[in-house]
Amino acid sequence: MQLAVRDAQGADLDPIEVDDAVFGIEPNEAVVHQTLVAQLAARRSGNASTRSRGEVRGSRAKLRRQKGLGMARVGAASSPIRRGGGVAFGPKPRSYVQRLPKRMRRLAIRSVLSSRVAEGRLHVVDSLGVEEPSTKAATALLTSLGIERSVLVVTGEPDRAVLLSTRNIPGVRTTPADVLNVADMLAHRTLVLTVDAVRRAEVLWGGERADGRAVGGSMAVEV
């Protein structure tokens, strides 16, 4: 399939041929959802912690004798039913990481990219035209592309000038193609990819990697 390409001023250029396995598949919403849940779960610190009754400081003696006082039976002051006591079944530090097969993660990324293409919310530019940090230049680029809402700008390689140019623009985030992920794409309405980013995406998730087949006699590097 072909994708339209524009320059930094918004003028149309010759379209480019792209890998259908990356930008033209039928999106798998179930895999996208599962990958998003796993990614958001992995962001949790998992450091919540409470004290059990065995970890509360204080005497372990029974507060009063069992019978003869006409009151309810009680144990130690560390009992979970008493103020200042331990917590029953409270949280402890843990990992929330959910393991996903790499084929599912790749399929999720390809599904979101294909969905954005089908919805007309993926723009390709030959270059961003930002040689040195300039918020004004970055804003002019987005305006020329007709982007008014949140956008994720994807570059082929880490670009400090682009990062510094866009970080002060509300709703704009910049990331290199190597760390492109489902959560970031779904958090922004529009994607803007450079031609280099498109080619990098094809290398990472297209070709034989789209089928999960071996590359060079061994399994593909996990991305």
Side-chain angles (χ1 to χ4, degrees):
M1 65 179 297
Q2 291 186 335
L3 290 180
V5 181
R6 287 189 278 181
D7 60 17
Q9 288 71 43
D12 293 332
L13 303 176
D14 293 335
I16 58 174
E17 288 285 344
V18 297
D19 191 348
D20 289 352
V22 179
F23 297 96
I25 68 170
E26 181 68 25
N28 189 320
E29 295 183 1
V31 171
V32 171
H33 176 265
Q34 188 170 350
T35 303
L36 175 63
V37 170
Q39 186 175 347
L40 296 180
R43 293 180 179 180
R44 300 182 64 176
S45 60
N47 58 1
S49 180
T50 55
R51 292 180 180 180
S52 67
R53 65 183 302 167
E55 296 170 324
V56 175
R57 294 185 60 183
S59 173
R60 298 292 186 269
K62 191 174 172 63
L63 293 178
R64 56 175 177 263
R65 60 191 174 95
Q66 183 86 346
K67 295 180 178 293
L69 298 179
M71 293 183 287
R73 296 171 292 182
V74 296
S78 60
S79 171
I81 65 174
R82 302 190 65 83
R83 181 178 179 182
V87 177
F89 308 110
K92 290 292 184 181
R94 52 161 293 192
S95 171
Y96 287 91
V97 173
Q98 300 178 18
R99 299 299 297 270
L100 284 177
K102 57 188 174 184
R103 291 180 66 179
M104 290 183 64
R105 293 196 296 272
R106 293 172 182 170
L107 175 58
I109 292 175
R110 292 186 286 117
S111 293
V112 177
L113 288 173
S114 299
S115 175
R116 291 293 186 263
V117 171
E119 296 167 354
R121 292 195 278 156
L122 187 148
H123 303 278
V124 180
V125 294
D126 62 338
S127 68
L128 297 173
V130 179
E131 301 299 333
E132 58 183 21
S134 173
T135 302
K136 182 178 180 180
T139 303
L141 168 65
L142 299 178
T143 301
S144 67
L145 296 175
I147 297 174
E148 299 178 351
R149 299 178 63 177
S150 61
V151 57
L152 179 65
V153 179
V154 186
T155 58
E157 298 290 340
D159 192 323
R160 180 173 175 80
V162 175
L163 175 63
L164 295 178
S165 299
T166 59
R167 65 180 180 177
N168 288 331
I169 305 177
V172 180
R173 179 182 175 88
T174 301
T175 184
D178 284 20
V179 295
L180 186 63
N181 58 83
V182 170
D184 285 344
M185 288 192 288
L186 293 180
H188 297 82
R189 178 173 176 81
T190 308
L191 296 179
V192 173
L193 281 73
T194 63
V195 173
D196 290 341
V198 171
R199 298 311 180 198
R200 184 60 180 160
E202 292 175 331
V203 171
L204 293 173
W205 305 298
E208 293 184 337
R209 291 193 175 192
D211 300 325
R213 292 177 293 182
V215 177
S218 61
M219 290 304 295
V221 178
E222 183 173 339
V223 177

